[in-house]
Amino acid sequence: MRAGVVVTAQPGVEDLALQAERLGLHSFWVNDTPMVHGDPFVALGLCAKATSRIRLGIGVTSPALRSAPAAASGFASLNALAPGRIICGVGTGNTARRTLGMRPTTADALESFTASVQGLCAGRAIEYREGDRVCDVRFLHAGTQVNTADPIEFVVAALGPKAAAVAGRRGTGLISFGLLDPAAWRALHDARRAAARETSPDPDSYLVTALHILGEGEAPDGDAARDATGHLVMSLLAFAADTPAFADQLGPAEREAVRQLLDRRGTTPDAPDRHTRLYPNYLGRIAPQDRDLILPSLMNALALVGTRDDVRARVTALQQAGVDELLIQPVIDPPAEMAQLAKLLS
């Protein structure tokens, strides 16, 4: 299985991209969460100039964040800096919208947006609509400032069949976050294939997770493991705190963790400003006082924690379920964690 890494946009990100390339990793991604992290297009522009081989992805943007022409301009501009190395991840904006206190967009809007960005990035004209006004638009400076000749890879973020079907109809790959159940991946691939307009080899599938290889005698729920995986667990707890219907589906211990998170952040599931309390430091290193919220059940569901043999067995099962590339989000020591990933999958 191939390996890659996902980080947040910040100064020095290009140095991490260069190290990832030197380690032999396949791809380097930057999150698109505007009010939480820096701008991914700026970050990947720096990465494009610092590297020569590694693929560069944004994971993921959304029609709820950017218009199709604005998104296409960003991706085609990156494609001019790193021809043929750009990956466009698109989704409903689940997290990025919630950090604004808003809800994600619809699958229909996602599909329309994806089709428009695909068309523009391929140099075609598209129908662009704002309210009742509709115009044909296309790049007016293709070949000089943007690159529409080299292909851009598209992937749709999916946790369920609706988004997977969008990927099928648009001929894109898949990316999913914290989905470590091989059966769930098989279901996503089935939904994508059922919706595909033509029979062809499956586009690539990417899994975003966290990784912690246990040392000799190290407990799987110790502080080091909780710190390495806690950002993913906290992201789920924040989502549950923001979405009572989802929280209701969790077990008793997990629901109690959600209740404690709300209490510690001084908010409630229906407070109008809860997004300003739940999402600061989103996907960052957790505070030591929050380690007790990082439940082993959630660590095991969302991240890869175990001995080298245990983790490799889980990775093999995911590969057999159709996952092509394992992406980790390192937060403790990114250079060391990237090296650990490269060694694991070498």
Side-chain angles (χ1 to χ4, degrees):
M1 184 183 290
R2 301 191 313 253
V5 63
V6 184
V7 302
T8 60
Q10 56 190 292
V13 68
E14 67 273 25
D15 296 330
L16 287 177
L18 181 57
Q19 181 183 5
E21 181 170 86
R22 287 172 174 169
L23 286 168
L25 301 186
H26 179 259
S27 65
F28 187 89
W29 302 64
V30 179
N31 293 317
D32 191 10
T33 42
M35 293 294 100
V36 183
H37 304 131
D39 186 85
F41 290 95
V42 172
L44 285 187
L46 295 171
C47 296
K49 299 299 290 183
T51 61
S52 61
R53 177 198 60 79
I54 197 166
R55 296 180 67 80
L56 304 171
I58 288 184
V60 297
T61 196
S62 165
L65 298 176
R66 308 174 191 277
S67 69
S73 181
F75 284 107
S77 296
L78 287 174
N79 203 24
L81 297 174
R85 292 197 283 137
I86 304 304
I87 309 173
C88 171
V90 292
T92 59
N94 187 48
T95 299
R97 290 285 288 169
R98 291 180 187 280
T99 61
L100 301 175
M102 302 296 173
R103 289 292 177 259
T105 189
T106 65
D108 286 344
L110 170 63
E111 184 164 0
S112 176
F113 174 80
T114 303
S116 294
V117 178
Q118 285 177 309
L120 290 170
C121 286
R124 300 190 295 270
I126 65 151
E127 189 178 80
Y128 178 63
R129 179 185 300 272
E130 288 188 8
D132 295 331
R133 187 172 179 83
V134 181
C135 297
D136 286 342
V137 300
R138 59 178 176 81
F139 280 117
L140 304 179
H141 51 272
T144 57
Q145 300 174 35
V146 298
N147 177 2
T148 59
D150 291 290
I152 291 175
E153 180 181 356
F154 283 80
V155 296
V156 167
L159 283 173
K162 286 186 178 180
V166 171
R169 289 190 291 272
R170 296 310 316 158
T172 78
L174 295 169
I175 185 169
S176 198
F177 299 80
L179 190 67
L180 293 179
D181 180 1
W185 272 103
R186 292 188 185 94
L188 287 183
H189 286 121
D190 286 346
R192 196 202 67 79
R193 294 178 192 125
R197 294 192 171 96
E198 58 184 45
T199 301
S200 61
D202 286 344
D204 284 345
S205 293
Y206 299 83
L207 165 61
V208 183
T209 185
L211 173 69
H212 183 72
I213 304 297
L214 296 174
E216 184 70 27
E218 182 185 352
D221 59 350
D223 287 351
R226 291 176 190 247
D227 287 347
T229 63
H231 56 298
L232 290 189
V233 174
M234 288 295 282
S235 71
L236 183 142
L237 293 178
F239 174 74
D242 195 23
T243 316
F246 176 77
D248 290 342
Q249 301 175 33
L250 300 176
E254 291 77 15
R255 290 198 301 272
E256 175 60 17
V258 172
R259 187 197 66 77
Q260 291 187 39
L261 176 64
L262 286 164
D263 185 62
R264 293 179 191 186
R265 300 299 185 262
T267 190
T268 64
D270 57 358
D273 65 343
R274 62 189 179 277
H275 60 288
T276 65
R277 305 293 186 114
L278 291 171
Y279 292 104
N281 194 41
Y282 182 78
L283 291 179
R285 182 170 184 167
I286 64 168
Q289 60 267 28
D290 286 332
R291 283 181 181 141
D292 62 312
L293 300 179
I294 311 306
L295 304 181
S297 61
L298 296 178
M299 293 167 62
N300 188 60
L302 299 172
L304 294 169
V305 178
T307 66
R308 183 172 302 278
D309 288 344
D310 291 339
V311 171
R312 287 183 69 92
R314 294 186 75 182
V315 170
T316 297
L318 288 163
Q319 187 172 22
Q320 291 171 346
V323 177
D324 298 289
E325 186 160 341
L326 184 69
L327 308 173
I328 65 164
Q329 293 184 319
V331 298
I332 305 302
D333 185 347
E337 291 175 77
M338 290 193 302
Q340 185 181 65
L341 174 67
K343 184 178 179 180
L344 175 73
L345 298 186
S346 62

